[in-house]
Amino acid sequence: MKSKTIITIFVGVVIGLVILGMISNTFVQIESGTVGVVKKLGAVQEEVLQEGLHFVNPFITDVVIMDVRVQKYEVDATASSKDLQPITARVAVNFYIDKEAASIIYRELGLGYLSTIIDPTIQESMKSATSRYTAEELITKRPEIKQVAFDYVRERLGKNHIIVTDFSIIDFAFSPDFTRAIEQKQIAEQEALAEKNRLERVKMQAQQEIERARAQAEAQRLLQQSIDDKVLTLRFLEKWNGELPIVMGSSDGAFLDVTQFARTRRK
């Protein structure tokens, strides 16, 4: 009798747990930032469960939780430039899936959409973008190249209901030989610029010396002219006997008032 009672209690507990499990499985909690894709008897339904508590039939329904928050994905992409230089670029993409189309994404791409669609699209975008530019242009036109790749990724993934919000090329890596060639070219350009600046300074200094010499020569000329005029006047006064005309002309067309000289001599 006692053993029967124990068995009855045990069976009751098991049945209770089963019923409790069934009841708990009839409700699905969809957390914030996620949606639930509904599968009935294995078939994906158009219905998408938004965040909150939902009642489902546990015998025929499964709910797959999908993240609809913005996610970041980084990957190394390999490509070639227009002049066939091999390139490796570290690329980062921010994206989220369209929660209204979560059932379509699950049905067509599954949960592994990072590897099935996002990664290949990034690789294709970099190959397409870098093939339009030479290796040197990839360095100087990086924002332009980023935009080309960004537009490519955004359009392609958008067709699959994956919205790309940002695209970044973190770094370009070239072959060691090309990197050395670029470094040597930059050094040569810097040296050429330094030499050009030095020559400009020398040219400017020479021009300044010329201008300074011209100014000095002009000052000497004016001083000499002033001295010559005074010497001529002095010589004239020394030889003047007071009987010359009051006004007389000079070689340069000017006139001298000799009466002033006479007054000066009498004093």
Side-chain angles (χ1 to χ4, degrees), residues 2 28 34 55 61 63-64 68 78 106 113 119 124 131-132 143-144 152 159 161 168 184 203 208 230 247 250 257 262:
K2 186 176 180 180
V28 175
T34 64
F55 174 80
T61 304
V63 178
V64 179
V68 294
T78 57
Y106 180 79
Y113 50 81
D119 188 284
E124 292 171 11
S131 65
R132 306 181 190 185
E144 182 178 330
Y152 184 98
K159 294 178 180 179
H161 309 286
S168 300
Q184 292 171 357
K203 182 179 178 181
Q208 290 173 347
K230 291 180 180 179
V247 177
S250 64
D257 185 355

Side-chain angles (χ1 to χ4, degrees), residues 9-250:
I9 294 172
F10 176 77
V11 171
V13 170
V14 171
I15 294 173
L17 291 174
V18 171
I19 294 173
L20 183 61
M22 292 176 60
I23 293 174
S24 64
N25 287 334
T26 59
F27 294 96
V28 175
Q29 177 69 39
I30 306 299
E31 302 294 338
S32 177
T34 64
V35 295
V37 175
V38 179
K39 294 169 59 180
K40 290 185 178 179
L41 299 177
V44 177
Q45 306 299 302
E46 294 297 327
E47 176 189 11
V48 176
L49 302 181
Q50 305 299 326
E51 60 183 82
L53 188 63
H54 300 269
F55 174 80
V56 296
N57 186 335
F59 296 103
I60 62 172
T61 304
D62 291 322
V63 178
V64 179
I65 305 300
M66 296 188 70
D67 193 338
V68 294
R69 293 168 295 189
V70 175
Q71 303 177 59
K72 183 177 182 179
Y73 180 65
E74 289 190 18
V75 64
D76 288 327
T78 57
S80 295
S81 63
K82 187 177 181 179
D83 50 354
L84 302 180
Q85 287 290 339
I87 301 154
T88 300
R90 186 69 178 173
V91 178
V93 175
N94 289 355
F95 72 94
Y96 65 91
I97 66 172
D98 182 357
K99 62 182 180 181
E100 301 299 333
S103 59
I104 299 175
I105 295 173
Y106 180 79
R107 182 170 54 247
E108 295 181 356
L109 303 175
L111 295 178
Y113 50 81
L114 281 176
S115 59
T116 58
I117 186 66
I118 293 181
D119 188 284
T121 300
I122 292 174
Q123 300 292 336
E124 292 171 11
S125 73
M126 291 303 298
K127 287 180 172 62
S128 175
T130 58
S131 65
R132 306 181 190 185
Y133 303 89
T134 64
E136 289 191 35
E137 288 174 334
L138 292 179
I139 299 173
T140 59
K141 298 182 178 180
R142 186 162 166 175
E144 182 178 330
I145 297 159
K146 169 198 167 182
Q147 190 61 46
V148 172
F150 187 11
D151 292 341
Y152 184 98
V153 170
R154 183 165 49 192
E155 180 182 358
R156 289 290 301 274
L157 294 184
K159 294 178 180 179
N160 290 279
H161 309 286
I162 299 174
I163 294 84
V164 178
T165 60
D166 193 23
F167 182 97
S168 300
I169 300 176
I170 300 173
D171 191 25
F172 272 125
F174 300 92
S175 67
D177 291 340
F178 179 77
T179 301
R180 282 193 296 270
I182 289 295
E183 290 175 350
Q184 292 171 357
K185 180 179 179 181
Q186 290 176 341
I187 292 172
E189 289 176 348
Q190 291 172 357
E191 291 176 347
L193 180 60
E195 180 63 18
K196 180 180 178 182
N197 291 336
R198 189 187 69 80
L199 292 175
E200 289 292 335
R201 286 195 300 270
V202 170
K203 182 179 178 181
M204 184 179 296
Q205 291 170 356
Q207 187 64 34
Q208 290 173 347
E209 290 296 330
I210 293 173
E211 294 298 330
R212 188 177 296 110
R214 285 176 179 173
Q216 291 175 349
E218 180 65 14
Q220 291 289 341
R221 186 186 69 79
L222 294 175
L223 179 60
Q224 185 65 41
Q225 180 179 349
S226 175
I227 293 173
D228 291 345
D229 290 343
K230 291 180 180 179
V231 170
L232 289 174
T233 302
L234 181 60
R235 295 289 175 84
F236 174 78
L237 289 173
E238 290 173 349
K239 295 180 179 181
W240 182 49
N241 59 7
E243 296 178 357
L244 294 174
I246 296 174
V247 177
M248 63 178 295
S250 64

